[in-house]
């Protein structure tokens, strides 16, 4: 029983981490039709920036801030100077983001070295939390809480603010949105920056759980892809549901059938594609 | 056309005599590597260039075919012929299954699904230690001895690879010019019209997907014969992306382009890695440069340049041979 509870918490925590990654990926795809294959690299870069900040003796909150700001700024540069020049050419954009992913991955290897680095979470979350007579790692509980708050905040942003209205309108009908004066190009930069920053923050909060290592980007990117294909591209609810589902499948798979964990991970995707190609919550065909 | 024929003739003479003047085993082996890379690029080009379906999971076929043949030889003691046949059959069958999954979508979603499928194979190779040897991979393979010829010698292996490459090349050239090949290109350019005309667009794409997987398996066999070693690294996303770069850099949807792209990438990799530590960064930069400045690939770029030199309006003579490969199908 304890095993199942602890594993469930681990699953939720992994799901929360995946959500920070997949939400940005899904938003960017929904709005810009860009499959941002550098998203995993943003995640890793955020984790490494956070690591450096923590190494300097700053707190974990500063690390999250630094990871988000640094990667978000990089996102602005990439969107402005690369993706914009390739607008309307989906394949070129994909290749460009892949090239950027290689550069980030190799640059990180160069700067931070090839050894996996572990990062300790904030001090007040080091211990265990006692719930129902069991001890849970407090940090993972906090990650779950953070991801729920983040999901709510993003939902409010999309549903209740002017920016959110413009984003939703552009996702649904770009031409009409432009025609009625929505500044689509500024919107693209904003959303790409937001998505990249989310990935950066996600990397920082993931680092105490997953640690930071070269190749992290290649591990995370497929997970993000599976999440958004499952949940439906461009859907926030889909990204959340998909993240939690994959969090469970992967966490339990790794414990119960370690050598096959990667395969079971992709089974839900195959099933969803066969039955409902647009994903669980998607409105557009995948 | 005569210029093209002359070019092919010169290339053939160069290729046939290469071991005589290359000046060392290193260069002969390098040439073999280029040709094996060209095999991959040619097989991937069927999907990317002709069918307009950009796959990022092609390294999976390399790996599967290499692992199947190695495993059968090392653990069951099968001969080269039998294990090669099993590897080709197994990989092609899996391509059939993957095709059914991936072709639920086109465009960017197709790319994402093939990436995910490729990662499954990578994960399997990496984690299924009992069978694949995990991170250490499988080693200890020998090269085959067809008709008593020792392919362990670099020059003989070079000629063997050349023969396979020319065969595959000829097969692909005939295939893409056949009526079926025309219908593949038509599903790329006008899928709706093709469906309205009564063609089964899905089936045409699926057949192309499977054939591409088969030639990928052939390339995988050559790869494992050359290296006599296979590890999960060969199935990585970076490797799939490198193959795609060869196709895109050379000229998707052309017969020469993928080979040119393979030449560029393999040479760059070997030359650059001798001087620069950060080969991957360089590769990333090459990606960006090609995408930003040579969008149609080298074949189209060269044709444009030639046309400009002759004072003709650019693109006049290239429209037929260099399709707009960037365009994803609707």
């Amino acid at each position: 029983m304890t095993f199942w509870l602890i594993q469930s918490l681990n699953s939720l925590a992994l799901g929360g981490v995946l959500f920070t990654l997949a939400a940005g990926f899904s938003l960017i795809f929904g709005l810009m039709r860009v499959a941002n294959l550098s998203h995993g690299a943003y995640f890793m870069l955020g984790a490494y920036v956070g690591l450096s900040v923590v190494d300097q003796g700053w707190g974990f909150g500063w690390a999250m801030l630094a990871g988000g700001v640094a990667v978000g700024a990089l996102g602005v540069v990439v969107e402005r100077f690369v993706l914009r020049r390739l607008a309307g050419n989906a394949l070129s954009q994909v290749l460009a983001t892949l090239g950027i992913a290689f550069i980030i991955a190799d640059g990180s290897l160069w700067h931070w070295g090839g050894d996996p680095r572990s990062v300790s979470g904030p001090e007040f979350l080091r211990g265990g939390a006692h719930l129902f007579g069991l001890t849970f790692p407090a940090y993972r509980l906090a990650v779950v809480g953070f991801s729920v708050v983040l999901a709510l905040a993003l939902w409010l942003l999309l549903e209740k603010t002017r920016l959110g209205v413009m984003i939703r309108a552009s996702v649904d009908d770009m031409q009409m949105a432009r025609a009625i004066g929505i500044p689509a190009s500024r919107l693209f930069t904003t959303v790409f920056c937001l998505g990249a920053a989310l990935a950066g923050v996600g990397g920082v909060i993931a680092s105490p759980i997953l640690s930071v290592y070269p190749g992290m980007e290649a591990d995370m990117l497929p997970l993000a892809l599976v999440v958004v294909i499952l949940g439906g591209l461009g859907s926030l609810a889909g990204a959340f549901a998909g993240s939690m589902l994959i969090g469970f499948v992967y966490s339990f798979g790794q414990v119960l059938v370690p050598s096959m964990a990667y395969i079971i991970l992709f089974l839900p995707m195959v099933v969803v594609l066969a039955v409902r190609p647009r994903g669980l919550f998607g409105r557009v065909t995948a | 056309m005569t210029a093209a024929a002359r070019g092919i003739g010169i290339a053939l003479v160069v290729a046939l005599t290469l071991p005589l003047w290359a000046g060392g085993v290193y260069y002969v082996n390098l040439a073999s590597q280029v040709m094996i890379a060209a095999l991959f690029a040619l097989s991937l080009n069927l999907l990317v260039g002709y069918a307009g379906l950009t796959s990022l999971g092609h390294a999976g076929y390399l790996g599967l075919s290499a692992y199947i043949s190695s495993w059968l030889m090392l653990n069951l003691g099968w001969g080269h012929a039998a294990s090669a046949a099993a590897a080709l059959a197994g990989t092609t069958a899996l391509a059939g299954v993957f095709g059914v999954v991936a072709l639920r979508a086109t465009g960017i979603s197709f790319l994402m699904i093939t990436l995910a499928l490729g990662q499954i194979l990578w994960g399997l190779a990496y984690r299924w230690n009992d069978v694949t040897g995990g991170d250490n991979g499988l080693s200890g393979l020998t090269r085959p001895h067809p008709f008593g010829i020792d392919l362990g010698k670099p020059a003989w292996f070079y000629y063997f690879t050349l023969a396979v490459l020319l065969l595959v090349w000829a097969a692909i050239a005939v295939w893409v010019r056949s009526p079926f090949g025309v219908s593949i290109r038509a599903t790329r350019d006008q899928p709706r019209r093709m469906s309205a005309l009564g063609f089964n667009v899905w089936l045409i794409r699926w057949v192309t997907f499977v054939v591409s997987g088969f030639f990928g398996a052939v390339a995988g066999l050559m790869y494992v014969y050359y290296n006599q070693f296979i590890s999960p690294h060969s199935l990585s996303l970076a490797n799939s992306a490198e193959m795609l770069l060869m196709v895109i850099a050379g000229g998707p949807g052309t017969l020469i382009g993928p080979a040119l792209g393979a030449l560029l990438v393999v040479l760059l990799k070997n030359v650059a890695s001798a001087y620069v530590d950060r080969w991957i960064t360089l590769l990333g930069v090459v990606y960006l440069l090609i995408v930003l400045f040579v969008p149609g690939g080298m074949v189209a770029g060269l044709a444009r340049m030639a046309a400009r030199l002759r004072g003709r309006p650019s693109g006049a003579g290239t429209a037929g041979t260099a399709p707009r490969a960037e365009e994803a199908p609707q």
Side-chain angles (χ1 to χ4, degrees), chain A residues 245-261:
Chain A
L245 184 62
I246 290 302
F248 269 89
V249 172
Y250 194 56
S251 295
F252 277 97
Q254 271 199 317
V255 178
L256 299 176
V257 271
S259 62
M260 294 291 155

Side-chain angles (χ1 to χ4, degrees), chain A residues 21-230:
Chain A
L21 185 66
F25 185 93
S26 190
L27 274 179
I28 290 170
F29 187 89
L31 182 69
M32 304 167 63
R33 300 280 138 189
V34 172
N36 179 24
L37 295 189
S38 48
H39 220 68
Y42 292 164
F43 184 84
M44 181 177 72
L45 185 64
Y48 271 124
V49 169
L51 170 85
S52 287
V53 171
V54 169
D55 275 355
Q56 293 295 315
W58 293 66
F60 197 77
W62 288 110
M64 283 169 66
L65 187 68
V69 169
V71 179
L74 177 69
V76 172
V77 173
V78 167
E79 202 280 328
R80 284 267 146 176
F81 294 103
V82 180
L83 294 181
R84 175 144 310 181
R85 296 191 50 168
L86 301 168
N89 190 338
L91 178 56
S92 293
Q93 286 179 327
V94 169
L95 288 175
T97 59
L98 204 56
I100 292 164
F102 288 157
I103 296 173
I104 295 177
D106 202 44
S108 304
L109 180 64
W110 179 57
H111 188 257
W112 282 283
D115 296 325
R117 304 279 302 271
S118 57
V119 179
S120 40
E123 220 155 298
F124 68 100
L125 292 173
R126 291 267 160 85
H130 303 282
L131 270 181
F132 316 117
L134 288 167
T135 311
F136 291 99
Y139 184 74
R140 295 185 187 226
L141 278 176
V143 169
V144 178
F146 177 82
S147 70
V148 172
V149 171
L150 178 70
L152 279 176
L154 283 175
W155 180 78
L156 285 175
L157 175 78
L158 283 178
E159 296 293 326
K160 302 289 173 193
T161 66
R162 196 178 154 72
L163 177 68
V165 172
M166 291 197 289
I167 293 175
R168 279 184 295 133
S170 309
V171 169
D172 283 346
D173 191 334
M174 175 60 75
Q175 274 183 319
M176 185 54 82
R178 274 184 201 271
I180 59 171
I182 289 177
S185 94
R186 229 184 310 154
L187 214 55
F188 279 14
T189 314
T190 312
V191 165
F192 200 85
C193 171
L194 178 70
L198 278 178
V201 173
V204 179
I205 64 166
S207 56
I209 301 177
L210 303 172
S211 76
V212 198
Y213 53 94
M216 187 183 205
E217 87 290 355
D219 282 353
M220 297 311 287
L221 178 67
L223 293 181
L225 290 182
V226 174
V227 166
V228 295
I229 292 171
L230 262 183

